[in-house]
Amino acid sequence: MLKRINYISSFVQEMSDEEIVDLARQAARNNAENDITGVLMAKGGLFFQIIEGPEENIDRLFSNILKDPRHEKIITLGIQVGDIKRLFPRWHMKEIILDRATSERLQPVRAIMDAVHAQSAIIETLTEALAASAWTELLDFKPEN
Ligand SMILES: Cc1cc2nc3c(=O)[nH]c(=O)nc-3n(C[C@H](O)[C@H](O)[C@H](O)COP(=O)(O)O)c2cc1C
């Protein structure tokens, strides 16, 4: 059974393009052994990764990725399991550093990353505001009917 996970996350601290390339190369080596393929995009302090492969291997990898101290604020955008086709059959982990890749064709991907960046800042502010006080009030609230 194939599984695909898409997620975004934020760098814990700034990473150079070389560090990102190294990370992806190491990932590609491990992934080749585990029949995993995908892409790792980086832009403006954010990662956007798609991993796909046998379900058990993806679950094991993703639980490692969740614990990796190089990134935080991991938000899963989508999970597909079952009768799916690989999107990246030829890439064990292709890195795309969007500020460096000049191809016009990547423009829509850049736009998505910018939108995700803006949204994640808003989500963070809202979550913090809720965590501060509003949850108690929300949960104590009893409608009159
Ligand atoms: C954004 C990000 C993406 C990663 N992607 C992969 C990946 O596709 N494959 C992989 O093996 N490790 C990946 N890693 C590294 C894992 O979190 C972890 O360090 C690694 O799987 C441990 O492998 P090891 O036990 O063989 O050292 C990624 C880390 C980060 C921060």
Side-chain angles (χ1 to χ4, degrees):
M1 188 94 85
L2 273 187
K3 185 167 192 172
R4 183 185 309 120
I5 299 181
N6 297 240
Y7 73 87
I8 56 157
S9 62
S10 306
F11 300 5
V12 164
Q13 55 186 38
E14 213 167 301
M15 285 180 79
S16 67
D17 291 353
E18 286 64 37
E19 284 174 306
I20 298 166
V21 171
D22 283 351
L23 190 163
R25 291 227 172 105
Q26 181 60 46
R29 274 194 288 273
N30 291 347
N31 293 350
E33 286 171 19
N34 295 303
D35 194 19
I36 289 171
T37 50
V39 289
L40 176 65
M41 289 175 267
K43 185 179 195 308
L46 280 187
F47 286 119
F48 175 13
Q49 191 177 31
I50 304 177
I51 50 174
E52 53 188 15
E55 184 170 17
E56 272 178 37
N57 299 0
I58 288 295
D59 288 342
R60 198 169 343 109
L61 170 60
F62 197 51
S63 79
N64 277 342
I65 287 177
L66 290 175
K67 288 183 278 195
D68 196 301
R70 287 170 285 187
H71 65 169
E72 60 183 359
K73 299 176 192 157
I74 297 159
I75 302 175
T76 307
L77 299 177
I79 301 179
Q80 287 97 36
V81 199
D83 190 15
I84 55 167
K85 267 184 91 171
R86 286 185 197 256
L87 295 173
F88 311 101
R90 293 185 302 130
W91 293 336
H92 284 298
M93 192 46 60
K94 169 77 176 165
E95 83 283 352
I96 305 174
I97 297 170
L98 283 165
D99 290 327
R100 206 164 70 171
T102 50
S103 165
E104 273 297 308
R105 280 185 276 170
L106 283 172
Q107 201 50 40
V109 182
R110 252 181 232 113
I112 291 174
M113 291 289 278
D114 285 340
V116 166
H117 197 225
Q119 293 292 328
S120 61
I122 294 168
I123 291 169
E124 202 175 324
T125 311
L126 286 175
T127 323
E128 274 165 17
L130 276 173
S133 64
W135 279 117
T136 342
E137 282 175 35
L138 287 174
L139 295 173
D140 279 339
F141 177 73
K142 292 186 188 68
E144 300 273 308
N145 53 16

